[in-house]
Amino acid sequence: MQTHEIRKRFLDHYVKNGHTEVASASLLLDDPNLLFVNAGMVPFVPYFLGQQSAPYSRATSIQKCVRTLDIEEVGITTRHNTFFQMAGNFSFGDYFKREAITFAWTLLTGAQDDGGFGFDPERLWATVYLDDDEAFGIWRDEVGLPAERIQRRGMTDNYWSMGIPGPCGPCSEIFYDRGPAYGSEGGPEADEDRYIEIWNLVFMQNERGEGTSKDDYEILGPLPRKNIDTGMGVERVAFLLQGVENVYETDLLRPVIDRAEELTGRRYGSDAASDVRFRVIADHARTAAMLILDGVNPGNDGRGYVLRRLLRRIVRSARLLGADQPTMRAFMDTVRVAMAPSYPQLETDYDRVRNVAVGEEAAFLGTLASGSKLFEDVARQTRSQGSARIGGADAFTLHDTYGFPIDLTLEMAAEAGLEVDREGFGALMAEQRARAKADAQARKHAHADLTVYRELVDGHPTEFTGFDELNTEATVLALVRDGVRVPTAVAGEEVEVILDRSPLYAEAGGQIADAGVITADGTRLTVNDVQKIAKKLWVHKVSVDRGQVTEGDAVLAQVDSSWRHGATQGHSGTHMVHGALRQVLGPNAVQAGSLNKPGYLRFDFHWQGGLSETTRQEIEDVSNAAVGADHTVNTIETSLDAAKEMGAMALFGENYGDEVRVVEIGGPFSMELCGGTHVAHSSQIGPITVLGESSVGSGVRRIEAFVGTESMKHMARERALLQGVATLLKVPSEDVPGRVENLIDRLKVAEREVEKAKSASLAAAAGPIAESAERVGDVLLVAAKAPGGGGGNELRALAGDVRGRLGDAASVVVLFGDDGGKVPFVVATSGAARDAGLKAGDLVKAFAPAIGGRGGGKPDLAQGAGTDPGGVEAAVAALRAELTDR
């Protein structure tokens, strides 16, 4: 049975039993505790926490999930995936244990011809919590599962919570017995490789307190309503129903392994190490594709860093398997074919997904090339120290600082006849993981308590009137201060005001909140911010300037019209820039985020590589042409499916409702899902001036621009600046670029002449400096100040020249410079001196403290700088003492 069919049967079963089918949420949710959605119940958390009332009493979904705590363990076992699909059914105060158990049993054991999965009931086991006699009795007496196939387990295994204060409860897990060939008899308690968990039924009935592990928290009491949360692992059910050994051999992952075999010439199943690499490629390729699909881009922290690690592990694994050419395009092609039947957006957005992955591969291949050179330096230094073992610290630096994988370090070390201190490397990695874990735990906290808003969300959602008017009569529904309802607020206080109607735009979609006031007889409130709760309730954060405001008051909410005009210009201008980008660069230049406010816009978009000045100018020209065309700005409220059929663009990672608002400007030029405020005609945006374009992460670029009056002010400032430069240069404005270019060329010529003169002066000084050599012990020492000061480059050249003039003698050359109050220095040793045990880097340690400096380098050449020019004589004395005492 194919995975897509398993998904369909699951959903059909629960819809037939009165559940509302809910589409998978994005992998990215606004939750402070989650990097990615990691369980099927996550999108329903507000309902379980009581922050909002569920719009349905029963729901079912197949949620895409990502768990990345142990990325480096992926592939070592065949049970773990970073991306997986969790099929679930949920009850919000409706049914409880009996129905949850019987629904699951019916689907699992129902005949395939009747829409079930057709599992042999004789091979199914169940576990329940230690004292959950109710669940035990349902399994034994109502389902008919023999008591010997129902096992009781403790809190660690069979009691669920989110890891933070909130709902919790016992659970019942369902296991499938794969048979004696896979392990020991005795049920899940004995062997969870033989007995595979396929479903977890959580009976959410209590509230837990603080705690740090799975079994050390206090049960505070029962929840007001009992809920059901279940999760069936789609991939695990798939490998059992498809008769293969593990999830990596199912229809969704095996094709990637097959493609990797073709590209590397190796065969899956040939040896354990290769099999791990094949599984890493299969798992990570799918996960990476799904993360990119939901708007993640490679980066150096957070979600972007996780994606970067996944993509680089694919490249690394393919290389270790023998691939000598880029492979990412082929792997992404294979993932698209396998996953698109369940996730059609992967087909429509595939070019973007592929380009991000391929771009990261290209960047990492460059890293590998530079890392190889760094490895060669480490290997050379290791041998020079008489060792055949690369230190753990060196291996860790290659891995952590330069992104050079430890597997490749090991491979290259073996080829070079060297070993690697794996224990030292492992200890440093363990320290890093411990720091990361502690940081994550420190940032993990209970969900914000929004219960004060629940009654308001459920009963009185705010009506937004700001699309049609700037002044609205309204009623104060509630006042909230520090999470508590208050009856009134007086002058000098700050409070949150919830109105039944409001024209003030709440921050969303990159548009910041409106400025404005709320007034009544003798009362004036300045609106500092407006935010949404549950996308339904407008919360106005205000300062009470005069009078007082009381719950139930009739008030007038007013938008600052000047502010709104500028905000609409900024937001509509963002749509113009997006449309221009797609026209100039093509359909892959899609939005990755935005910010707009009066007179200004910032637009992030997916694109590999910087834009030329010509391209930036073309984007500005196309944007302004659309502004000048005076297009009517049309808004259409329709269904999400209808909007997609119209070709409306959506923001990746955003969760849209069934009903959406489409903003269309110039027909196909710009058509986007957008809830923001806009001008009526494109000409009202005014001129758009692109300020610049830059990188904000791998595969993401940023354009900033002024619009309207701010654009004109900017152009006036630029014109005044140009006129000022023209006046200084005594040329017409149009001749300024040529005149400046001429001056730059002349300056470069002058700088080259100065450098030549300085080099000649230093070269001339090399002879007299070499003649100043003194014998200290059995070594010739030259310790001198460079004539004319000089920086590091000049000192290195001069030190090398002086060392060469001393011939084959054991010699040490130390030169001090003068660079704006700092004391740069260079130490050079001859071959004979190094044979005698003198290393430039070690000598630095002897004299650098005297000038308040430090430095280092290789045995033949070291350099650094100090901060105390007056300490040079003491430094030379320390150096003499070091050479004398050796």
Side-chain angles (χ1 to χ4, degrees):
M1 187 181 297
Q2 297 294 292
T3 303
H4 309 302
E5 176 64 18
I6 293 170
R7 289 166 46 96
K8 182 178 184 302
R9 288 179 180 234
F10 184 94
L11 294 172
D12 287 350
H13 174 73
Y14 281 99
V15 169
K16 184 175 65 178
N17 283 284
H19 293 67
T20 298
E21 181 180 336
V22 180
S24 174
S26 167
L27 286 166
L28 319 178
L29 288 187
D30 185 17
D31 187 316
N33 297 312
L34 295 177
L35 203 59
F36 305 109
V37 169
N38 62 357
M41 55 79 67
V42 169
F44 303 103
V45 164
Y47 310 144
F48 290 133
L49 292 177
Q51 296 172 349
Q52 301 176 35
S53 294
Y56 26 67
S57 59
R58 302 180 178 193
T60 183
S61 71
I62 296 182
Q63 174 64 42
K64 49 191 177 183
C65 304
V66 168
R67 292 180 185 169
T68 60
L69 285 177
D70 300 305
I71 288 178
E72 293 181 0
E73 301 301 315
V74 170
I76 296 175
T77 72
T78 58
R79 291 194 297 170
H80 182 68
N81 293 135
T82 50
F83 174 87
F84 58 96
Q85 301 168 91
M86 189 60 72
N89 58 286
F90 309 91
S91 168
F92 307 102
D94 186 1
Y95 61 80
F96 202 48
K97 295 181 183 179
R98 175 172 290 101
E99 293 86 346
I101 292 172
T102 55
F103 282 150
W105 183 260
T106 302
L107 177 59
L108 288 173
T109 61
Q112 293 189 4
D113 289 344
D114 296 331
F117 291 147
F119 280 108
D120 180 356
E122 298 300 318
R123 303 184 74 165
L124 295 176
W125 289 62
T127 61
V128 298
Y129 182 56
L130 286 174
D131 63 1
D132 194 350
D133 295 332
E134 180 184 3
F136 188 97
I138 294 170
W139 278 115
R140 181 191 60 194
D141 302 333
E142 301 185 33
V143 171
L145 194 65
E148 59 270 20
R149 296 216 308 271
I150 310 171
Q151 296 185 328
R152 296 179 185 264
R153 305 181 81 173
M155 284 190 77
T156 301
D157 295 304
N158 275 70
Y159 205 93
W160 175 92
S161 81
M162 290 188 291
I164 55 177
C168 64
C171 59
S172 179
E173 298 175 330
I174 305 173
F175 292 78
Y176 179 82
D177 180 4
R178 303 172 71 194
Y182 294 93
S184 306
E185 298 277 356
E189 278 283 353
D191 192 333
E192 288 197 15
D193 285 324
R194 169 175 170 173
Y195 300 89
I196 294 291
E197 179 195 341
I198 56 177
W199 209 327
N200 187 14
L201 315 177
V202 175
F203 311 131
M204 208 178 292
Q205 61 191 49
N206 295 319
E207 182 178 0
R208 62 156 282 183
E210 296 284 352
T212 57
S213 69
K214 289 186 175 183
D215 56 6
D216 73 341
Y217 51 83
E218 180 184 2
I219 305 300
L220 302 179
L223 292 173
R225 296 194 307 169
K226 296 178 179 179
N227 304 310
I228 287 293
D229 156 31
T230 87
M232 185 196 83
V234 172
E235 280 77 7
R236 290 193 180 183
V237 170
F239 94 73
L240 293 173
L241 290 179
Q242 291 174 19
V244 294
E245 289 296 307
N246 56 65
V247 296
Y248 289 95
E249 298 181 14
T250 62
D251 58 322
L252 298 188
L253 291 174
R254 181 63 202 223
V256 183
I257 292 177
D258 293 341
R259 193 75 179 97
E261 287 181 325
E262 296 173 13
L263 294 170
T264 64
R266 300 285 282 274
R267 289 292 169 262
Y268 184 59
S270 59
D271 64 85
S274 294
D275 287 355
V276 170
R277 291 162 187 155
F278 278 117
R279 290 193 286 265
V280 165
I281 291 170
D283 174 87
H284 289 4
R286 181 173 69 156
T287 304
M290 301 306 290
L291 288 176
I292 298 169
L293 184 67
D294 275 1
V296 182
N297 280 278
N300 293 325
D301 55 22
R303 293 163 173 160
Y305 179 63
V306 170
L307 175 59
R308 171 161 287 166
R309 285 186 65 195
L310 295 173
L311 291 169
R312 292 188 170 192
R313 279 171 59 83
I314 295 170
V315 177
R316 177 190 71 187
S317 298
R319 172 175 168 147
L320 291 173
L321 285 171
D324 57 2
Q325 297 294 325
T327 58
M328 194 65 68
R329 181 183 297 270
F331 293 147
M332 290 295 114
D333 287 347
T334 307
V335 170
R336 174 184 62 172
V337 172
M339 297 296 292
S342 292
Y343 301 97
Q345 190 184 1
L346 188 58
E347 189 72 54
T348 57
D349 296 336
Y350 177 66
D351 286 349
R352 178 179 61 84
V353 172
R354 179 197 59 212
N355 290 344
V356 170
V358 169
E360 181 63 21
E361 177 184 38
F364 185 46
L365 289 174
T367 295
L368 291 180
S370 60
S372 296
K373 295 178 182 178
L374 291 167
F375 171 84
E376 291 168 3
D377 291 341
V378 169
R380 190 181 304 113
Q381 185 174 0
T382 299
R383 291 195 188 94
S384 71
Q385 295 170 349
S387 174
R389 186 179 176 87
I390 292 174
D394 288 330
F396 181 77
T397 299
L398 282 167
H399 166 84
D400 189 59
T401 304
Y402 299 104
F404 199 67
I406 183 61
D407 286 354
L408 290 181
T409 298
L410 292 169
E411 179 188 34
M412 294 177 68
E415 291 173 354
L418 299 172
E419 297 179 346
V420 177
D421 179 7
R422 290 297 305 271
E423 294 78 12
F425 173 82
L428 291 169
M429 284 296 296
E431 290 177 12
Q432 184 189 64
R433 290 194 191 99
R435 288 193 298 269
K437 185 175 182 180
D439 180 60
Q441 188 65 39
R443 287 185 284 107
K444 190 171 185 178
H445 52 78
H447 290 266
D449 185 2
L450 302 178
T451 52
V452 67
Y453 304 105
R454 177 175 176 177
E455 178 186 350
L456 299 163
V457 170
D458 290 347
H460 303 283
T462 305
E463 177 190 354
F464 178 60
T465 62
F467 290 134
D468 303 311
E469 60 188 33
L470 299 182
N471 303 304
T472 296
E473 294 180 352
T475 300
V476 177
L477 297 178
L479 303 172
V480 176
R481 184 188 300 116
D482 298 328
V484 178
R485 292 272 292 266
V486 294
T488 190
V490 299
E493 295 183 335
E494 294 187 350
V495 69
E496 294 177 354
V497 178
I498 293 94
L499 304 177
D500 64 338
R501 306 172 73 235
S502 177
L504 290 132
Y505 184 79
E507 181 179 357
Q511 181 176 337
I512 65 175
D514 276 334
V517 296
I518 299 173
T519 61
D521 291 340
T523 298
R524 177 186 171 91
L525 317 176
T526 296
V527 178
N528 302 316
D529 190 17
V530 189
Q531 296 292 328
K532 293 181 190 177
I533 299 293
K535 297 185 178 182
K536 297 179 180 180
L537 201 70
W538 265 236
V539 177
H540 306 76
K541 299 182 179 182
V542 308
S543 301
V544 183
D545 298 331
R546 63 173 181 264
Q548 68 176 36
V549 59
T550 301
E551 186 173 310
D553 280 354
V555 296
L556 179 66
Q558 301 169 273
V559 178
D560 182 322
S561 59
S562 176
W563 174 279
R564 169 64 72 81
H565 177 65
T568 59
Q569 287 180 309
H571 202 152
S572 298
T574 302
H575 285 228
M576 294 293 93
V577 170
H578 191 187
L581 279 166
R582 292 173 60 78
Q583 181 170 311
V584 174
L585 301 179
N588 291 329
V590 294
Q591 183 173 355
S594 67
L595 172 70
N596 46 79
K597 58 184 180 180
Y600 170 86
L601 68 88
R602 187 183 76 200
F603 188 84
D604 297 343
F605 60 100
H606 297 287
W607 193 254
Q608 296 291 337
L611 306 183
S612 68
E613 180 59 38
T614 300
T615 301
R616 291 197 293 270
Q617 185 61 55
E618 185 178 1
I619 291 166
E620 182 179 291
D621 291 344
V622 171
S623 299
N624 282 310
V627 169
D630 197 25
H631 296 301
T632 299
V633 178
N634 298 308
T635 58
I636 307 160
E637 294 188 0
T638 184
S639 68
L640 180 59
D641 290 339
K644 290 179 178 178
E645 290 178 6
M646 293 166 57
M649 294 289 297
L651 181 62
F652 295 106
E654 182 71 21
N655 292 304
Y656 296 96
D658 294 333
E659 294 297 314
V660 295
R661 186 169 181 265
V662 178
V663 176
E664 177 263 317
I665 310 175
F669 181 78
S670 176
M671 185 180 297
E672 302 185 33
L673 299 184
C674 182
T677 60
H678 291 273
V679 297
H681 294 269
S682 62
S683 61
Q684 295 171 344
I685 296 170
I688 296 174
T689 301
V690 174
L691 302 175
E693 177 266 343
S694 60
S695 171
V696 290
S698 178
V700 180
R701 310 295 299 182
R702 170 172 292 171
I703 278 183
E704 295 180 89
F706 284 136
V707 298
T709 303
E710 288 301 320
S711 177
M712 291 185 284
K713 289 179 180 177
H714 173 75
M715 289 187 285
R717 290 192 297 268
E718 293 289 296
R719 184 172 63 248
L721 177 62
L722 177 60
Q723 186 58 51
V725 174
T727 300
L728 288 172
L729 297 177
K730 299 180 180 179
V731 297
S733 297
E734 59 270 20
D735 292 342
V736 165
R739 179 64 171 154
V740 170
E741 185 177 4
N742 178 262
L743 289 174
I744 290 173
D745 290 340
R746 290 170 61 186
L747 179 60
K748 288 180 178 178
V749 170
E751 288 175 342
R752 285 195 294 268
E753 292 301 321
V754 170
E755 288 300 317
K756 286 181 182 179
K758 185 182 292 185
S759 297
S761 174
L762 290 174
I769 291 176
E771 292 175 359
S772 71
E774 61 177 304
R775 183 164 293 280
V776 179
D778 55 0
V779 176
L780 286 178
L781 171 64
V782 173
K785 292 183 179 181
N793 292 334
E794 294 87 356
L795 290 179
R796 282 195 302 273
L798 181 57
D801 194 354
V802 172
R803 180 177 58 186
R805 291 171 183 266
L806 296 176
D808 296 331
S811 59
V812 174
V813 178
V814 182
L815 299 180
F816 299 91
D818 183 359
D819 188 9
K822 293 185 178 180
V823 189
F825 60 80
V826 170
V827 181
T829 59
S830 67
R834 294 193 295 276
D835 291 341
L838 291 172
K839 297 179 182 179
D842 292 342
L843 292 174
V844 168
K845 301 173 184 176
F847 70 82
I851 56 173
R854 60 181 181 178
K858 299 177 181 178
D860 63 325
L861 186 69
Q863 65 185 70
T867 58
D868 181 10
V872 171
E873 290 187 8
V876 173
L879 183 60
R880 288 196 184 100
E882 176 70 16
L883 295 175
T884 302
D885 295 342
R886 58 181 295 274

